[in-house]
Amino acid sequence: AEKIRKVCSSAKEPVLHIVVVGFHHKKGCQVEFSYPPIIPGAGHDSNTLPEEWKYLPFLALPDGAHNHQEDTVYFHLPPLDGQQKCVYGVSCYRQMEAKALKVREADITRETVQKSVCVLSQLPLFGLIQAKLQLITHAYFEEKDFSQISILKELYDHMNRSLSCTALEGSQIYLGLSARDLILHFKHKVLILFKLILLEKKILFYVTPVKRLVETLMTVLSLFPGIIEHGLADSSHYQPRRSISEDFSSPEIISADEESLSMSTTDITNISKELEGRYDVSDQPDQSKPCNTTLDTHYLQPHAGSLLDSECEWETLEPHVMDEMEGKVDVAHSNMFDTDSGLPITVQPQSATGQGMLTSGLISGLQEDQYGLPLAIFTKGYLCMPYMALQQHHLLSDISVRGFVAGATNILFRQQRHLSDAIVDVDEARIQIHDPELRKMLYLSTADLRFADYLVKHVTENKEDVFLDGTGWEGGDEWIRAQFGLYIHSLLSSALQQDHERLLADYGTAFTSAWKITHNYRVWISNKHLAMASITPGHPFQGQYSVADVKIRLSHSMQNSERGKKIGNAVMSTSRSVVQTGKAVGQSVGGALTVAKSAMSSWFSMLAQPTAAVSASPQSAD
């Protein structure tokens, strides 16, 4: 009985292992110490790993680590046999000169020693764990004797005492993830990233060092209500297959939540039409009338690098599961809301956490709130890899991986553009989208631009407030996440209404048509979420067009289209030349500036004429 109690107690401990990974001059990266042992019955110094965790050394000790004195890595490991959830890893890397060691082992033959101390946890408390681990890693290196492992055992005990599931419901979950910095750096492009993930595309983040990479990627994910807390449980789980048809004829029965089916474009179109008829949003006795939703089949066609590629594996909900879910969408309160006011909804949205009891999703298997959030984005082979080692490169083209949000520091990932739909250059705040159809889907509507401009203005206006420091409400981190929470709640509520076509148009017709065939939308719409009746449908920034919208659109095109950038550079060059010429001929600076302003006005007038063409340009989606 005592043994059983110990097993049950250890199973609930949030920290699974403390691991030390080092670089051996002959064997490369390897595990040098683990507490408790990763392999039951093995010693603490065993470097044997289970097959599922064979990439652990390369994740904990990142590629190109020798270029930095220290770094931090967040990564995900797949569950081991008998486990169901993703394992979250946080690694603190350091290097020091070998001559500084008090005890130098015989296998240390290089001038520097490179090691990482890593925590493997069942809770995605990345920032909180990193803050504690960084101090311990520093102390471990200060000992200058890596055989002194008592401090690591104390770290294991301390973390298991101090960390608990209750930390997922507080602000500690977002420690180190600055939404303000993200908005200041990417500006309106944050909304493009948000929509890319909603469409479940193959997205690759690229920058060095790793710490900046993983913090940027996880900050983007933190904008989705409940994703980090409860939406990543299945984000590292995949089943490699040698061919698409393999295991389909197997007598083994696979649950509807785990099975994937290979589908053609015709199949997807048929299912989309079927969904249109099934989810009648009216609450009338006559259920024979289908919804008014019409999906543009133009956006259902496969394109280069898309998830519908013939070499990729797509999936859908099982037909019998869809039959069971038929008629479950109850929107009897759809006529309670007045969406014709035209005024932006700028109320303070409530936090996504702490709203009622969490329940296990009937189809997603995730812990969901009363609104059905988090969305089932990172499920069924859509992976989240905050850092991806070069040894995992094959996952980008694996047929069992339908998409990913991954971070990389190796230039080889970036060079192979055909393996991803979008590459995010974090340094330059640039999103490279290869497919013109996808760029059209991500074209920001006028309401979207208002929303993005609203965020940027509130963040930049409070930029110099020393008392804010990212912790205040309006313009602060929590405020930004609440605005995106309002955005996704309004989007979902709009999809339930009888006049959803009109309401969803403000989000972009091409985008919503593509979103409605994603896995996360089909899972969400397949169940009933009564709390959605309290959410006002329609875009938070819907309304009539104005002169201000023209200015926002013009600014957006100037900053992001190639043509706009060239014209902007030309305007700056013209103004400088006019000023210099004015000085040369003896004109006053004021007169020269007047001429420069006149020239700039001419440039802008010329640009304003083909505004629609510039806005519709595929490059403007970047």
Side-chain angles (χ1 to χ4, degrees):
E2 182 64 19
K3 289 182 179 180
I4 293 176
R5 280 194 295 268
K6 288 183 178 180
V7 171
C8 293
S9 175
S10 62
K12 296 179 181 179
E13 291 176 342
V15 174
L16 300 174
H17 305 279
I18 304 294
V19 179
V20 176
V21 174
F23 183 82
H24 191 274
H25 67 286
K26 291 184 178 180
K27 301 177 182 178
C29 296
Q30 64 177 4
V31 171
E32 298 179 346
F33 169 82
S34 61
Y35 181 82
I38 295 178
I39 301 294
H44 295 304
D45 57 350
S46 172
N47 53 30
T48 304
L49 292 171
E51 179 65 20
E52 296 90 338
W53 289 4
K54 63 182 179 180
Y55 300 118
L56 170 59
F58 310 104
L59 294 168
L61 197 61
D63 183 39
H66 60 279
N67 296 320
H68 307 279
Q69 287 299 114
E70 57 184 272
D71 206 350
T72 300
V73 188
Y74 301 161
F75 60 90
H76 292 165
L77 292 174
L80 298 178
D81 291 338
Q83 299 180 359
Q84 300 298 325
K85 295 184 178 181
C86 170
V87 175
Y88 310 100
V90 179
S91 173
C92 283
Y93 160 81
R94 285 177 67 92
Q95 69 172 331
M96 65 181 299
E97 294 183 353
K99 63 182 181 181
L101 293 174
K102 294 179 181 178
V103 179
R104 181 167 178 170
E105 298 178 359
D107 58 354
I108 298 179
T109 60
R110 308 182 73 185
E111 295 182 355
T112 58
V113 178
Q114 301 167 351
K115 293 184 186 295
S116 290
V117 181
C118 176
V119 172
L120 303 183
S121 170
Q122 297 185 87
L123 301 178
L125 298 170
F126 296 101
L128 185 60
I129 292 176
Q130 186 265 340
K132 296 175 180 289
L133 181 59
Q134 192 171 26
L135 295 175
I136 297 301
T137 302
H138 178 77
Y140 182 56
F141 271 74
E142 284 298 309
E143 290 283 343
K144 299 178 181 178
D145 180 3
F146 296 119
S147 63
Q148 301 298 320
I149 58 175
S150 58
I151 189 173
L152 302 179
K153 295 180 179 179
E154 292 174 3
L155 173 65
Y156 174 82
D157 295 332
H158 167 73
M159 285 196 167
N160 278 319
R161 288 194 304 267
S162 60
L163 300 181
S164 67
C165 293
T166 57
L168 295 177
E169 302 303 321
S171 60
Q172 289 181 329
I173 188 73
Y174 303 123
L175 185 63
L177 306 180
S178 175
R180 280 175 52 81
D181 290 344
L182 185 72
I183 296 293
L184 288 171
H185 187 57
F186 281 92
K187 295 183 170 57
H188 72 279
K189 295 179 184 178
V190 173
L191 186 54
I192 296 178
L193 292 174
F194 191 83
K195 285 189 163 186
L196 264 172
I197 296 175
L198 275 177
L199 293 180
E200 299 176 354
K201 296 301 181 181
K202 298 180 179 180
I203 311 167
L204 182 70
F205 286 73
Y206 177 84
V207 75
T208 55
V210 181
K211 186 176 189 293
R212 187 180 178 194
L213 172 72
V214 297
E215 287 181 350
T216 300
L217 189 152
M218 296 306 296
T219 302
V220 174
L221 295 187
S222 73
L223 302 178
F224 292 83
I227 278 288
I228 294 184
E229 298 94 317
H230 307 290
L232 299 178
D234 198 32
S235 64
S236 63
H237 183 68
Y238 68 97
Q239 296 179 348
R241 290 175 180 159
R242 290 184 296 273
S243 66
I244 296 179
S245 60
E246 184 178 353
D247 296 335
F248 280 9
S249 59
S250 173
E252 181 182 0
I253 302 299
I254 304 176
S255 67
D257 185 43
E258 296 178 354
E259 186 174 5
S260 297
L261 296 178
S262 176
M263 299 178 59
S264 66
T265 305
T266 304
D267 295 330
I268 295 176
T269 306
N270 293 337
I271 288 180
S272 300
K273 292 179 179 178
E274 183 182 0
L275 288 175
E276 294 169 22
R278 279 193 177 169
Y279 299 115
D280 191 332
V281 295
S282 65
D283 197 35
Q284 304 299 325
D286 183 9
Q287 299 294 332
S288 61
K289 298 180 179 180
C291 293
N292 294 326
T293 302
T294 55
L295 298 182
D296 188 351
T297 56
H298 175 68
Y299 299 111
L300 302 181
Q301 300 302 318
H303 54 77
S306 74
L307 300 183
L308 300 180
D309 190 271
S310 59
E311 296 181 359
C312 295
E313 184 180 14
W314 192 251
E315 47 69 40
T316 183
L317 298 179
E318 286 297 305
H320 68 273
V321 175
M322 300 298 292
D323 291 336
E324 293 173 1
M325 295 297 104
E326 183 176 355
K328 283 195 174 184
V329 180
D330 182 8
V331 288
H333 305 285
S334 61
N335 297 323
M336 294 173 58
F337 311 113
D338 179 15
T339 59
D340 297 327
S341 63
L343 298 175
I345 303 171
T346 56
V347 296
Q348 297 181 355
Q350 296 182 356
S351 171
T353 59
Q355 295 185 357
M357 296 293 294
L358 295 173
T359 58
S360 181
L362 181 63
I363 298 177
S364 70
L366 304 175
Q367 293 297 308
E368 299 177 353
D369 65 10
Q370 56 189 331
Y371 302 102
L373 300 177
L375 293 174
I377 297 175
F378 296 101
T379 58
K380 299 292 289 283
Y382 190 75
L383 305 184
C384 175
M385 297 172 283
Y387 172 70
M388 191 175 190
L390 184 60
Q391 289 76 8
Q392 294 177 298
H393 183 272
H394 66 280
L395 292 180
L396 300 185
S397 56
D398 195 306
I399 60 174
S400 64
V401 175
R402 63 185 179 90
F404 53 81
V405 177
T409 58
N410 195 299
I411 191 65
L412 293 177
F413 285 99
R414 184 176 179 178
Q415 290 174 341
Q416 298 189 351
R417 296 184 176 184
H418 64 285
L419 296 179
S420 60
D421 296 316
I423 298 178
V424 183
D425 189 323
V426 177
D427 246 347
E428 299 181 5
R430 183 180 181 187
I431 307 173
Q432 301 176 20
I433 301 173
H434 322 309
D435 180 44
E437 292 300 327
L438 179 56
R439 285 198 292 264
K440 188 180 294 186
M441 295 174 194
L442 297 171
Y443 169 77
L444 295 183
S445 66
T446 298
D448 279 344
L449 285 176
R450 290 173 185 166
F451 173 72
D453 188 63
Y454 177 73
L455 293 176
V456 173
K457 283 185 176 179
H458 277 73
V459 171
T460 53
E461 286 174 0
N462 295 312
K463 183 178 179 181
E464 304 301 329
D465 190 345
V466 296
F467 298 101
L468 184 62
D469 194 28
T471 60
W473 174 244
E474 190 164 332
D477 290 341
E478 291 301 315
W479 178 86
I480 293 170
R481 293 187 179 98
Q483 302 308 312
F484 277 95
L486 172 62
Y487 185 93
I488 194 67
H489 279 86
S490 301
L491 174 62
L492 293 170
S493 179
S494 300
L496 294 175
Q497 309 309 312
Q498 290 182 336
D499 57 343
H500 56 275
E501 285 185 346
R502 178 181 64 84
L503 296 173
L504 291 176
D506 285 322
Y507 294 93
T509 304
F511 165 76
T512 54
S513 297
W515 175 55
K516 284 185 176 182
I517 62 171
T518 61
H519 177 70
N520 70 80
Y521 175 82
R522 292 199 303 270
V523 169
W524 186 85
I525 202 68
S526 298
N527 207 351
K528 185 191 306 181
H529 310 291
L530 296 179
M532 290 304 298
S534 64
I535 303 298
T536 303
H539 199 293
F541 285 81
Q542 61 187 335
Q544 298 297 323
Y545 297 113
S546 66
V547 176
D549 295 325
V550 177
K551 292 180 179 179
I552 294 174
R553 174 68 64 188
L554 185 61
S555 174
H556 169 62
S557 299
M558 285 288 293
Q559 294 176 14
N560 300 284
S561 68
E562 292 300 323
R563 183 180 180 185
K565 290 177 181 178
K566 291 179 181 179
I567 293 178
N569 293 333
V571 169
M572 295 302 296
S573 300
T574 301
S575 62
R576 284 195 299 267
S577 299
V578 170
V579 172
Q580 292 171 359
T581 303
K583 290 180 179 179
V585 299
Q587 292 181 350
S588 65
V589 175
L593 290 176
T594 301
V595 177
K597 290 180 180 178
S598 177
M600 292 176 69
S601 299
S602 300
W603 277 107
F604 277 103
S605 298
M606 182 185 70
L607 176 64
Q609 293 176 358
T611 298
V614 173
S615 300
S617 171
Q619 295 293 338
S620 65
D622 184 8

